Amino acid sequence: HDWWAVDAAVQTARHPGLAGPPATTGTGDRAVGAAANYEARTYGISSAMPAARAHQLCPNGSFLPVDMAYYRMMSRRIFDEVFRQVTDQIEQVSVDEGDMDVSHALLTVGQPIRIGTWIRPQVATREGIHGSAGKDANKRVDQMASSNAKQEG
């Protein structure tokens, strides 16, 4: 499952006033933006873009400091409280991405799409964070499916 741009999504959940306007993480003239919400992306802002360039593209956007301790805490909470209800076979790749072996869960749940349609609202309801999920027998194809499912697919 690929939880895109957890820092932008977590910051928006943490500061609801940021929902809607363009927001990105990374402040300062020499900083690099860690992530941008979908609204910021419409201005051409992308992750790993220098913050100075992002300011040029969207001078009225919200530019937030990166808070890795908070992102790690939220990630841990989502993995522990939601994903582990499906399986304990989880490989956390990064703070916002992980692979789950759901083969055992499929025996009781059935179709893989039912797992994704259960997980996504669980995270959204508990944490106010929306994400996407992909399912295939191959981790790389899972990631591609998840990326194609954005936004909220």
Side-chain angles (χ1 to χ4, degrees), residues 17-18 21-25 55 58-64:
L18 296 176
T24 185
T25 56
H55 279 281
C58 185
N60 295 324
S62 296
F63 295 87
L64 307 164

Side-chain angles (χ1 to χ4, degrees), residues 12 23 34 43 54 56 71 75 85 100 110 113 116 118 122 130-131 137 146 149-151:
T12 301
Y43 288 84
Q56 289 173 339
Y71 307 150
S75 176
Q85 288 188 46
M100 300 168 53
I113 196 163
W118 179 84
Q122 287 292 314
H130 300 276
S146 178
K150 293 176 188 194
Q151 173 175 8

